[in-house]
Amino acid sequence: MKVDVSAVEQAAINSIIPELEKAHDELLSGTGKGSDFTGWVKLPGTRDRDEFLRVKKAAKKIQGDSQVLLVVGIGGSYLGARAVIEFLRGSFYNLRRKDTPDVFFVGNNLSASYAEQIIELVGDRDFSINVISKSGTTTEPAVSFRFWKTLCEKKYGKEGARGRIYATTDAARGALKKLCDSEGYETFVIPDDVGGRYSVLTPVGLLPIAVAGIDVDELLSGAAEMMGICAVPGLENPAWQYAAARNALYRAGKTIEVLACYDPDFVFMAEWYKQLYGESEGKEGKGIFPAAVSFTADLHSMGQYIQEGARTLFETVVLIENSSGSMAVTSDPDNVDGLNFLTGKSLSEIELQAFRGTYLAHMDGGVPNLVVSMDKKNAQSLGKLIYFFEFACGLSGYLLGVNPFDQPGVEAYKRNMFALLGKPGFEEEGRRLAARLDK
Ligand code: PA5
Protein backbone atom coordinates (compact mmCIF):
# COMPACT_ATOMS: atom_id res chain seq x y z
CA MET A 1 0.00 0.00 0.00
CA LYS A 2 1.29 3.46 -0.91
CA VAL A 3 0.15 6.96 -0.07
CA ASP A 4 0.92 9.86 -2.40
CA VAL A 5 0.63 13.21 -0.68
CA SER A 6 2.73 15.16 -3.17
CA ALA A 7 -0.23 17.54 -3.68
CA VAL A 8 0.60 19.04 -0.29
CA GLU A 9 3.71 21.14 0.23
CA GLN A 10 6.40 19.27 2.11
CA ALA A 11 6.92 22.24 4.42
CA ALA A 12 3.28 22.10 5.52
CA ILE A 13 3.62 18.39 6.26
CA ASN A 14 6.92 18.87 8.09
CA SER A 15 5.41 21.54 10.31
CA ILE A 16 2.99 18.97 11.70
CA ILE A 17 5.67 16.41 12.63
CA PRO A 18 6.03 17.46 16.29
CA GLU A 19 2.24 17.12 16.78
CA LEU A 20 2.30 13.78 14.99
CA GLU A 21 5.02 12.49 17.28
CA LYS A 22 2.87 13.34 20.28
CA ALA A 23 -0.30 11.90 18.73
CA HIS A 24 1.51 8.69 17.76
CA ASP A 25 2.90 8.26 21.22
CA GLU A 26 -0.48 8.88 22.84
CA LEU A 27 -2.20 6.43 20.55
CA LEU A 28 0.29 3.62 21.11
CA SER A 29 0.74 4.15 24.83
CA GLY A 30 -2.96 4.72 25.48
CA THR A 31 -2.42 8.07 27.17
CA GLY A 32 -4.41 10.38 24.87
CA LYS A 33 -8.05 11.49 24.97
CA GLY A 34 -10.48 8.57 25.02
CA SER A 35 -7.67 6.10 25.74
CA ASP A 36 -10.18 3.64 27.21
CA PHE A 37 -11.20 2.96 23.62
CA THR A 38 -7.86 2.32 21.94
CA GLY A 39 -7.97 -1.49 22.17
CA TRP A 40 -8.28 -1.67 18.38
CA VAL A 41 -4.71 -0.31 18.02
CA LYS A 42 -3.19 -3.66 19.01
CA LEU A 43 -6.19 -5.82 18.18
CA PRO A 44 -4.95 -7.64 15.05
CA GLY A 45 -1.97 -8.95 17.05
CA THR A 46 -3.77 -9.78 20.27
CA ARG A 47 -7.06 -11.28 19.19
CA ASP A 48 -8.67 -13.80 21.49
CA ARG A 49 -7.89 -17.13 19.83
CA ASP A 50 -10.84 -19.04 21.36
CA GLU A 51 -13.33 -16.33 20.45
CA PHE A 52 -11.96 -16.28 16.92
CA LEU A 53 -12.32 -20.05 16.56
CA ARG A 54 -15.90 -19.86 17.86
CA VAL A 55 -16.66 -17.21 15.24
CA LYS A 56 -15.38 -19.49 12.49
CA LYS A 57 -17.32 -22.46 13.88
CA ALA A 58 -20.54 -20.44 14.07
CA ALA A 59 -19.99 -19.19 10.50
CA LYS A 60 -19.65 -22.81 9.29
CA LYS A 61 -22.85 -23.80 11.10
CA ILE A 62 -24.76 -20.87 9.58
CA GLN A 63 -23.42 -21.75 6.14
CA GLY A 64 -24.69 -25.30 6.70
CA ASP A 65 -28.17 -24.64 8.04
CA SER A 66 -29.19 -21.26 6.58
CA GLN A 67 -29.77 -19.75 3.19
CA VAL A 68 -29.94 -16.28 4.67
CA LEU A 69 -28.15 -14.50 7.50
CA LEU A 70 -29.89 -11.43 8.90
CA VAL A 71 -27.40 -9.06 10.47
CA VAL A 72 -29.18 -6.74 12.88
CA GLY A 73 -27.13 -3.65 13.75
CA ILE A 74 -26.48 0.00 12.98
CA GLY A 75 -23.46 2.30 12.62
CA GLY A 76 -20.26 0.59 13.66
CA SER A 77 -22.25 -2.57 14.35
CA TYR A 78 -23.14 -2.87 10.67
CA LEU A 79 -21.13 -0.81 8.19
CA GLY A 80 -17.81 -2.64 8.45
CA ALA A 81 -19.25 -6.07 7.70
CA ARG A 82 -21.32 -4.78 4.82
CA ALA A 83 -18.36 -2.85 3.43
CA VAL A 84 -16.03 -5.84 3.46
CA ILE A 85 -18.61 -8.24 2.01
CA GLU A 86 -19.61 -5.90 -0.82
CA PHE A 87 -16.02 -4.98 -1.64
CA LEU A 88 -14.64 -8.52 -1.70
CA ARG A 89 -17.66 -10.51 -2.84
CA GLY A 90 -19.20 -7.78 -5.00
CA SER A 91 -22.10 -5.43 -4.51
CA PHE A 92 -24.32 -8.02 -6.23
CA TYR A 93 -23.30 -10.65 -3.66
CA ASN A 94 -26.88 -11.54 -2.71
CA LEU A 95 -27.91 -11.93 -6.34
CA ARG A 96 -25.01 -14.20 -7.26
CA ARG A 97 -25.11 -17.98 -7.55
CA LYS A 98 -22.97 -19.11 -4.62
CA ASP A 99 -22.63 -21.71 -1.90
CA THR A 100 -22.78 -19.25 0.98
CA PRO A 101 -25.91 -17.63 2.46
CA ASP A 102 -27.35 -14.31 1.37
CA VAL A 103 -26.55 -11.66 3.96
CA PHE A 104 -29.17 -8.97 4.61
CA PHE A 105 -28.51 -6.03 6.91
CA VAL A 106 -31.48 -4.93 8.98
CA GLY A 107 -32.02 -2.73 12.02
CA ASN A 108 -30.01 0.08 10.43
CA ASN A 109 -33.08 2.27 9.76
CA LEU A 110 -36.70 2.63 10.84
CA SER A 111 -38.25 2.22 7.41
CA ALA A 112 -41.26 -0.10 7.25
CA SER A 113 -40.86 -0.40 3.51
CA TYR A 114 -37.25 -1.62 3.89
CA ALA A 115 -38.34 -4.20 6.47
CA GLU A 116 -41.18 -5.43 4.25
CA GLN A 117 -38.83 -5.87 1.31
CA ILE A 118 -36.42 -7.95 3.40
CA ILE A 119 -39.27 -10.15 4.64
CA GLU A 120 -40.25 -10.76 1.04
CA LEU A 121 -36.65 -11.51 0.05
CA VAL A 122 -36.19 -14.01 2.88
CA GLY A 123 -39.48 -15.69 1.96
CA ASP A 124 -39.68 -19.23 3.28
CA ARG A 125 -35.94 -19.79 3.19
CA ASP A 126 -34.03 -20.97 6.26
CA PHE A 127 -32.40 -18.12 8.13
CA SER A 128 -30.20 -17.30 11.09
CA ILE A 129 -29.84 -13.99 12.92
CA ASN A 130 -26.75 -12.18 14.15
CA VAL A 131 -27.84 -9.32 16.38
CA ILE A 132 -25.02 -6.87 17.05
CA SER A 133 -25.01 -4.01 19.54
CA LYS A 134 -22.17 -2.92 21.77
CA SER A 135 -24.40 -0.92 24.10
CA GLY A 136 -27.23 -3.40 23.72
CA THR A 137 -29.69 -0.53 23.96
CA THR A 138 -29.78 1.05 20.49
CA THR A 139 -33.37 1.53 19.36
CA GLU A 140 -33.19 0.68 15.65
CA PRO A 141 -31.59 -2.79 16.02
CA ALA A 142 -33.54 -3.52 19.20
CA VAL A 143 -36.87 -2.88 17.46
CA SER A 144 -35.80 -4.90 14.44
CA PHE A 145 -34.51 -7.77 16.57
CA ARG A 146 -37.85 -8.03 18.41
CA PHE A 147 -39.47 -8.58 15.07
CA TRP A 148 -37.00 -11.11 13.62
CA LYS A 149 -36.74 -13.03 16.89
CA THR A 150 -40.53 -13.46 16.91
CA LEU A 151 -40.49 -14.63 13.31
CA CYS A 152 -37.65 -17.05 14.00
CA GLU A 153 -39.41 -18.52 17.03
CA LYS A 154 -42.61 -18.87 15.05
CA LYS A 155 -40.81 -20.76 12.29
CA TYR A 156 -38.43 -22.94 14.33
CA GLY A 157 -39.96 -22.95 17.83
CA LYS A 158 -38.22 -21.43 20.84
CA GLU A 159 -35.60 -24.16 21.03
CA GLY A 160 -34.90 -24.17 17.30
CA ALA A 161 -34.58 -20.38 17.28
CA ARG A 162 -32.06 -20.56 20.10
CA GLY A 163 -29.73 -22.46 17.76
CA ARG A 164 -30.12 -19.82 15.05
CA ILE A 165 -29.71 -16.59 16.97
CA TYR A 166 -26.19 -15.30 17.58
CA ALA A 167 -25.53 -12.14 19.54
CA THR A 168 -22.47 -9.92 19.45
CA THR A 169 -22.41 -7.52 22.37
CA ASP A 170 -20.65 -6.29 25.47
CA ALA A 171 -19.19 -8.91 27.83
CA ALA A 172 -21.32 -7.83 30.76
CA ARG A 173 -23.48 -4.77 30.17
CA GLY A 174 -26.66 -3.85 28.29
CA ALA A 175 -30.14 -5.14 27.66
CA LEU A 176 -28.99 -7.42 24.84
CA LYS A 177 -26.48 -9.16 27.08
CA LYS A 178 -29.24 -9.70 29.67
CA LEU A 179 -31.51 -11.14 26.99
CA CYS A 180 -28.75 -13.46 25.71
CA ASP A 181 -28.13 -14.75 29.20
CA SER A 182 -31.80 -15.47 29.80
CA GLU A 183 -32.41 -16.99 26.35
CA GLY A 184 -29.11 -18.88 26.10
CA TYR A 185 -28.00 -17.52 22.72
CA GLU A 186 -24.45 -18.06 21.59
CA THR A 187 -22.77 -14.76 22.34
CA PHE A 188 -19.63 -13.10 20.98
CA VAL A 189 -17.89 -10.36 22.84
CA ILE A 190 -17.08 -6.85 21.65
CA PRO A 191 -13.99 -5.96 23.68
CA ASP A 192 -14.59 -3.22 26.24
CA ASP A 193 -11.86 -1.03 24.79
CA VAL A 194 -13.05 -1.11 21.16
CA GLY A 195 -15.77 1.33 20.09
CA GLY A 196 -18.35 0.59 17.40
CA ARG A 197 -16.71 2.23 14.39
CA TYR A 198 -13.35 0.59 15.16
CA SER A 199 -14.88 -2.88 15.63
CA VAL A 200 -14.93 -4.42 12.15
CA LEU A 201 -12.00 -6.71 13.00
CA THR A 202 -13.75 -8.06 16.12
CA PRO A 203 -16.62 -10.60 15.99
CA VAL A 204 -18.85 -7.62 15.05
CA GLY A 205 -17.49 -7.77 11.52
CA LEU A 206 -15.83 -11.16 11.44
CA LEU A 207 -18.92 -13.36 11.88
CA PRO A 208 -20.96 -11.96 8.96
CA ILE A 209 -17.79 -11.63 6.87
CA ALA A 210 -16.88 -15.30 7.48
CA VAL A 211 -20.45 -16.39 6.70
CA ALA A 212 -20.09 -14.69 3.31
CA GLY A 213 -17.11 -16.97 2.60
CA ILE A 214 -14.33 -14.41 3.05
CA ASP A 215 -11.02 -15.56 4.49
CA VAL A 216 -10.95 -13.77 7.84
CA ASP A 217 -7.42 -15.03 8.54
CA GLU A 218 -6.19 -13.15 5.50
CA LEU A 219 -8.11 -10.02 6.46
CA LEU A 220 -6.58 -10.06 9.94
CA SER A 221 -3.14 -10.90 8.64
CA GLY A 222 -3.27 -7.83 6.37
CA ALA A 223 -4.37 -5.71 9.33
CA ALA A 224 -1.57 -7.13 11.48
CA GLU A 225 0.97 -6.32 8.77
CA MET A 226 -0.26 -2.73 8.61
CA MET A 227 -0.27 -2.56 12.42
CA GLY A 228 3.47 -3.25 12.29
CA ILE A 229 3.99 -0.58 9.64
CA CYS A 230 1.89 2.03 11.45
CA ALA A 231 3.65 1.39 14.77
CA VAL A 232 6.86 2.90 13.42
CA PRO A 233 7.01 6.67 13.95
CA GLY A 234 8.20 8.88 11.12
CA LEU A 235 7.15 10.21 7.75
CA GLU A 236 7.73 6.81 6.13
CA ASN A 237 4.62 5.71 8.00
CA PRO A 238 1.68 5.96 5.52
CA ALA A 239 -0.75 6.87 8.29
CA TRP A 240 1.51 9.76 9.30
CA GLN A 241 1.64 10.98 5.70
CA TYR A 242 -2.11 10.83 5.28
CA ALA A 243 -2.95 12.34 8.68
CA ALA A 244 -0.41 15.14 8.15
CA ALA A 245 -1.56 15.91 4.60
CA ARG A 246 -5.27 16.05 5.40
CA ASN A 247 -4.69 18.18 8.48
CA ALA A 248 -2.41 20.55 6.56
CA LEU A 249 -5.16 20.92 3.97
CA TYR A 250 -7.80 21.45 6.66
CA ARG A 251 -5.73 24.19 8.25
CA ALA A 252 -5.48 25.82 4.82
CA GLY A 253 -9.28 25.97 4.52
CA LYS A 254 -10.01 22.66 2.80
CA THR A 255 -12.73 21.54 5.19
CA ILE A 256 -14.34 18.81 3.07
CA GLU A 257 -12.64 15.57 2.11
CA VAL A 258 -14.14 13.66 -0.79
CA LEU A 259 -13.18 9.99 -0.79
CA ALA A 260 -13.24 8.67 -4.35
CA CYS A 261 -12.86 5.20 -5.78
CA TYR A 262 -13.29 3.88 -9.30
CA ASP A 263 -14.69 0.53 -8.15
CA PRO A 264 -18.45 0.54 -7.43
CA ASP A 265 -17.89 -2.34 -4.99
CA PHE A 266 -16.17 0.25 -2.78
CA VAL A 267 -19.35 2.25 -2.09
CA PHE A 268 -19.92 0.71 1.35
CA MET A 269 -16.23 0.96 2.23
CA ALA A 270 -16.76 4.69 1.68
CA GLU A 271 -19.81 4.57 3.98
CA TRP A 272 -17.69 2.85 6.62
CA TYR A 273 -14.95 5.47 6.15
CA LYS A 274 -17.49 8.31 6.44
CA GLN A 275 -18.69 7.00 9.78
CA LEU A 276 -15.15 6.40 11.01
CA TYR A 277 -13.94 9.90 10.22
CA GLY A 278 -17.19 11.81 10.67
CA GLU A 279 -17.97 10.41 14.10
CA SER A 280 -14.35 10.54 15.25
CA GLU A 281 -13.51 14.08 14.15
CA GLY A 282 -16.74 16.05 13.93
CA LYS A 283 -17.00 17.61 17.37
CA GLU A 284 -16.31 20.78 19.31
CA GLY A 285 -17.10 22.81 16.18
CA LYS A 286 -14.21 21.17 14.34
CA GLY A 287 -13.52 18.39 11.86
CA ILE A 288 -13.07 17.64 8.19
CA PHE A 289 -16.47 16.76 6.68
CA PRO A 290 -16.14 13.33 5.03
CA ALA A 291 -17.97 12.92 1.74
CA ALA A 292 -17.67 10.18 -0.87
CA VAL A 293 -18.10 9.67 -4.58
CA SER A 294 -18.02 6.66 -6.84
CA PHE A 295 -16.19 7.29 -10.09
CA THR A 296 -16.61 7.37 -12.95
CA ALA A 297 -20.39 7.47 -12.30
CA ASP A 298 -20.19 10.56 -10.09
CA LEU A 299 -17.96 12.41 -12.53
CA HIS A 300 -21.27 12.85 -14.35
CA SER A 301 -23.03 14.21 -11.26
CA MET A 302 -20.67 15.56 -8.60
CA GLY A 303 -17.80 16.07 -11.04
CA GLN A 304 -19.02 19.56 -11.92
CA TYR A 305 -18.99 20.69 -8.29
CA ILE A 306 -15.62 19.14 -7.60
CA GLN A 307 -14.14 20.84 -10.66
CA GLU A 308 -15.65 24.30 -10.25
CA GLY A 309 -17.68 24.65 -7.04
CA ALA A 310 -16.64 26.27 -3.74
CA ARG A 311 -12.92 25.66 -3.28
CA THR A 312 -13.24 24.02 0.12
CA LEU A 313 -12.61 20.46 -1.09
CA PHE A 314 -9.75 18.08 -1.25
CA GLU A 315 -9.98 14.58 -2.62
CA THR A 316 -8.55 11.26 -1.47
CA VAL A 317 -8.59 8.66 -4.20
CA VAL A 318 -8.39 4.99 -3.30
CA LEU A 319 -6.74 3.35 -6.25
CA ILE A 320 -6.79 -0.40 -6.69
CA GLU A 321 -3.70 -1.48 -8.54
CA ASN A 322 -3.59 -4.73 -10.51
CA SER A 323 -7.35 -4.68 -11.12
CA SER A 324 -8.44 -8.03 -12.42
CA GLY A 325 -10.67 -8.55 -15.43
CA SER A 326 -9.79 -8.76 -19.06
CA MET A 327 -12.86 -7.18 -20.64
CA ALA A 328 -11.85 -5.18 -23.66
CA VAL A 329 -13.59 -2.82 -26.08
CA THR A 330 -15.00 -4.55 -29.13
CA SER A 331 -14.57 -3.30 -32.67
CA ASP A 332 -17.50 -1.86 -34.63
CA PRO A 333 -17.28 -1.92 -38.43
CA ASP A 334 -19.37 1.28 -38.74
CA ASN A 335 -17.51 3.16 -35.99
CA VAL A 336 -20.43 5.59 -35.72
CA ASP A 337 -19.39 6.57 -32.18
CA GLY A 338 -15.79 7.10 -33.33
CA LEU A 339 -14.47 4.81 -30.63
CA ASN A 340 -12.62 2.27 -32.76
CA PHE A 341 -9.37 3.82 -31.53
CA LEU A 342 -10.17 2.02 -28.26
CA THR A 343 -10.64 -1.40 -29.87
CA GLY A 344 -8.83 -4.07 -27.88
CA LYS A 345 -8.11 -1.75 -24.96
CA SER A 346 -9.09 -3.28 -21.63
CA LEU A 347 -11.61 -1.52 -19.38
CA SER A 348 -8.90 -1.45 -16.69
CA GLU A 349 -6.62 0.55 -18.99
CA ILE A 350 -9.42 2.99 -19.85
CA GLU A 351 -10.28 3.31 -16.15
CA LEU A 352 -6.64 4.06 -15.34
CA GLN A 353 -6.53 6.85 -17.90
CA ALA A 354 -9.85 8.17 -16.54
CA PHE A 355 -8.21 8.35 -13.12
CA ARG A 356 -5.06 10.04 -14.46
CA GLY A 357 -7.06 12.58 -16.45
CA THR A 358 -9.38 13.31 -13.54
CA TYR A 359 -6.45 13.66 -11.14
CA LEU A 360 -4.90 16.36 -13.29
CA ALA A 361 -8.21 18.10 -14.02
CA HIS A 362 -9.16 18.28 -10.33
CA MET A 363 -5.69 19.39 -9.27
CA ASP A 364 -5.80 22.09 -11.97
CA GLY A 365 -9.24 23.10 -10.67
CA GLY A 366 -7.84 23.70 -7.17
CA VAL A 367 -8.74 20.39 -5.54
CA PRO A 368 -5.63 18.81 -4.03
CA ASN A 369 -5.61 15.04 -4.59
CA LEU A 370 -4.17 12.53 -2.14
CA VAL A 371 -3.86 8.99 -3.50
CA VAL A 372 -4.00 5.81 -1.43
CA SER A 373 -3.06 2.79 -3.56
CA MET A 374 -4.02 -0.75 -2.60
CA ASP A 375 -1.96 -3.55 -4.12
CA LYS A 376 -4.89 -5.78 -4.96
CA LYS A 377 -8.58 -6.33 -4.40
CA ASN A 378 -8.25 -9.13 -1.85
CA ALA A 379 -8.76 -9.77 1.87
CA GLN A 380 -5.10 -9.22 2.77
CA SER A 381 -4.92 -5.80 1.10
CA LEU A 382 -8.30 -4.79 2.49
CA GLY A 383 -7.16 -5.70 6.02
CA LYS A 384 -4.22 -3.36 5.48
CA LEU A 385 -6.44 -0.55 4.20
CA ILE A 386 -8.86 -0.88 7.13
CA TYR A 387 -6.13 -0.70 9.73
CA PHE A 388 -4.42 2.17 7.86
CA PHE A 389 -7.62 4.26 7.85
CA GLU A 390 -8.28 3.48 11.53
CA PHE A 391 -4.77 4.40 12.66
CA ALA A 392 -4.70 7.56 10.54
CA CYS A 393 -8.09 8.50 11.99
CA GLY A 394 -6.82 8.16 15.55
CA LEU A 395 -3.81 10.33 14.68
CA SER A 396 -5.96 12.88 12.84
CA GLY A 397 -8.37 13.21 15.76
CA TYR A 398 -5.49 13.93 18.11
CA LEU A 399 -4.05 16.47 15.64
CA LEU A 400 -7.41 18.22 15.73
CA GLY A 401 -7.36 18.16 19.52
CA VAL A 402 -10.58 16.14 19.91
CA ASN A 403 -11.37 12.77 21.47
CA PRO A 404 -11.67 10.55 18.38
CA PHE A 405 -13.30 7.74 20.32
CA ASP A 406 -16.53 9.21 21.68
CA GLN A 407 -19.73 10.36 19.96
CA PRO A 408 -21.61 12.59 22.41
CA GLY A 409 -23.54 14.31 19.61
CA VAL A 410 -25.38 11.11 18.65
CA GLU A 411 -27.46 11.31 21.84
CA ALA A 412 -29.36 14.53 20.98
CA TYR A 413 -31.71 13.00 18.40
CA LYS A 414 -32.30 9.92 20.53
CA ARG A 415 -33.47 11.98 23.49
CA ASN A 416 -35.87 13.99 21.32
CA MET A 417 -37.17 10.86 19.58
CA PHE A 418 -37.85 9.11 22.89
CA ALA A 419 -39.56 12.21 24.30
CA LEU A 420 -41.77 12.53 21.21
CA LEU A 421 -42.62 8.83 21.41
CA GLY A 422 -43.75 9.24 25.02
CA LYS A 423 -41.04 7.28 26.81
CA PRO A 424 -41.85 7.14 30.53
CA GLY A 425 -39.95 9.90 32.33
CA PHE A 426 -39.75 12.09 29.19
CA GLU A 427 -43.43 13.23 29.09
CA GLU A 428 -42.88 16.90 29.86
CA GLU A 429 -40.03 17.21 27.38
CA GLY A 430 -42.15 15.41 24.77
CA ARG A 431 -44.95 17.96 25.18
CA ARG A 432 -42.48 20.85 24.88
CA LEU A 433 -40.92 19.44 21.70
CA ALA A 434 -44.29 18.65 20.13
CA ALA A 435 -45.47 22.22 20.81
CA ARG A 436 -42.38 23.58 19.02
CA LEU A 437 -42.96 21.35 16.02
CA ASP A 438 -46.71 21.84 15.79
CA LYS A 439 -46.88 25.64 16.07
O1 PA5 B 1 -19.16 4.08 16.52
C1 PA5 B 1 -20.06 3.98 17.34
O2 PA5 B 1 -19.82 3.73 18.52
C2 PA5 B 1 -21.52 4.09 16.95
O3 PA5 B 1 -21.69 4.45 15.64
C3 PA5 B 1 -22.21 2.76 17.19
O4 PA5 B 1 -21.56 1.77 16.44
C4 PA5 B 1 -23.70 2.79 16.81
O5 PA5 B 1 -24.33 3.87 17.43
C5 PA5 B 1 -24.35 1.49 17.23
O6 PA5 B 1 -24.22 1.31 18.60
P1 PA5 B 1 -24.42 -0.09 19.31
O7 PA5 B 1 -23.45 -1.05 18.78
O8 PA5 B 1 -24.21 0.21 20.75
O9 PA5 B 1 -25.83 -0.52 19.02
Side-chain angles (χ1 to χ4, degrees):
M1 212 195 78
K2 286 192 302 282
V3 180
D4 175 357
V5 295
S6 55
V8 182
E9 279 186 19
Q10 193 59 45
I13 290 185
N14 289 347
S15 71
I16 295 181
I17 291 178
E19 292 166 71
L20 268 172
E21 280 166 348
K22 182 166 177 283
H24 184 94
D25 187 52
E26 287 177 344
L27 205 51
L28 282 184
S29 60
T31 51
K33 287 187 183 170
S35 58
D36 288 354
F37 286 95
T38 50
W40 57 271
V41 173
K42 295 186 179 145
L43 183 82
T46 57
R47 63 179 186 261
D48 178 338
R49 199 73 221 149
D50 291 344
E51 188 80 347
F52 185 61
L53 292 175
R54 273 198 318 118
V55 164
K56 284 169 115 178
K57 200 166 153 210
K60 272 249 149 354
K61 177 169 180 299
I62 295 167
Q63 286 172 338
D65 67 13
S66 305
Q67 293 157 291
V68 176
L69 172 67
L70 291 149
V71 180
V72 188
I74 195 165
S77 291
Y78 135 74
L79 283 167
R82 182 161 184 184
V84 171
I85 293 171
E86 293 207 4
F87 184 63
L88 293 176
R89 298 284 270 142
S91 27
F92 298 116
Y93 170 74
N94 283 335
L95 296 176
R96 287 171 63 177
R97 240 179 247 276
K98 57 194 178 296
D99 53 11
T100 50
D102 283 356
V103 180
F104 294 124
F105 293 90
V106 296
N108 55 66
N109 59 64
L110 291 165
S111 159
S113 140
Y114 183 94
E116 280 161 13
Q117 291 176 60
I118 302 285
I119 295 168
E120 196 186 317
L121 284 167
V122 174
D124 58 6
R125 291 187 289 167
D126 282 315
F127 68 90
S128 290
I129 302 171
N130 180 198
V131 55
I132 309 174
S133 178
K134 165 115 175 155
S135 62
T137 56
T138 310
T139 312
E140 290 89 337
V143 166
S144 174
F145 181 55
R146 274 191 177 211
F147 174 80
W148 286 103
K149 173 179 181 286
T150 307
L151 221 69
C152 194
E153 288 176 350
K154 216 158 138 196
K155 184 169 167 117
Y156 300 105
K158 196 129 180 99
E159 196 50 41
R162 190 167 294 137
R164 290 178 172 272
I165 297 177
Y166 303 82
T168 309
T169 189
D170 189 86
R173 285 182 297 263
L176 180 58
K177 173 65 184 155
K178 238 191 239 159
L179 185 72
C180 294
D181 289 345
S182 72
E183 296 281 5
Y185 300 145
E186 171 146 31
T187 307
F188 299 99
V189 173
I190 310 174
D192 262 357
D193 53 2
V194 179
R197 56 191 175 276
Y198 293 85
S199 69
V200 57
L201 301 175
T202 73
V204 169
L206 296 180
L207 180 57
I209 290 169
V211 169
I214 292 163
D215 189 333
V216 287
D217 287 294
E218 266 195 36
L219 191 72
L220 288 168
S221 129
E225 194 184 328
M226 187 49 71
M227 180 178 76
I229 295 169
C230 287
V232 182
L235 273 188
E236 291 291 295
N237 181 328
W240 273 47
Q241 291 174 27
Y242 179 53
R246 61 196 296 284
N247 277 277
L249 291 167
Y250 177 66
R251 291 172 193 185
K254 303 289 187 190
T255 55
I256 299 168
E257 177 173 18
V258 182
L259 189 79
C261 185
Y262 285 74
D263 185 338
D265 291 338
F266 194 81
V267 164
F268 264 86
M269 276 303 296
E271 291 298 310
W272 170 83
Y273 155 91
K274 282 194 316 196
Q275 186 204 354
L276 181 65
Y277 280 78
E279 221 168 46
S280 299
E281 293 189 319
K283 48 197 74 158
E284 299 174 28
K286 298 189 261 193
I288 298 169
F289 182 83
V293 286
S294 180
F295 287 163
T296 59
D298 287 336
L299 287 172
H300 299 263
S301 57
M302 298 305 290
Q304 170 59 37
Y305 192 104
I306 295 171
Q307 191 69 47
E308 294 183 344
R311 300 298 70 192
T312 47
L313 311 179
F314 69 96
E315 218 170 351
T316 296
V317 184
V318 175
L319 197 63
I320 304 156
E321 290 179 339
N322 307 309
S323 302
S324 59
S326 53
M327 274 194 72
V329 178
T330 47
S331 169
D332 185 320
D334 299 327
N335 195 26
V336 179
D337 54 14
L339 290 178
N340 269 356
F341 75 100
L342 293 176
T343 300
K345 273 219 187 312
S346 70
L347 282 185
S348 313
E349 169 64 10
I350 299 172
E351 183 188 86
L352 178 64
Q353 299 314 328
F355 156 67
R356 282 154 55 91
T358 306
Y359 174 89
L360 290 178
H362 288 180
M363 292 277 282
D364 291 346
V367 178
N369 266 229
L370 313 178
V371 183
V372 175
S373 307
M374 304 177 62
D375 320 328
K376 266 202 169 114
K377 188 176 180 180
N378 61 21
Q380 176 89 16
S381 295
L382 187 60
K384 284 196 215 172
L385 187 77
I386 287 171
Y387 189 90
F388 158 77
F389 272 135
E390 289 181 348
F391 197 83
C393 187
L395 288 178
S396 290
Y398 283 163
L399 292 181
L400 269 177
V402 300
N403 174 356
F405 309 116
D406 65 359
Q407 54 284 328
V410 179
E411 294 310 311
Y413 100 89
K414 289 187 193 166
R415 196 180 164 85
N416 285 354
M417 178 178 74
F418 285 139
L420 289 165
L421 285 168
K423 184 173 177 173
F426 289 71
E427 294 86 350
E428 185 43 44
E429 197 171 341
R431 274 190 288 276
R432 224 171 16 83
L433 293 174
R436 274 175 64 196
L437 291 166
D438 298 339
K439 72 172 181 242

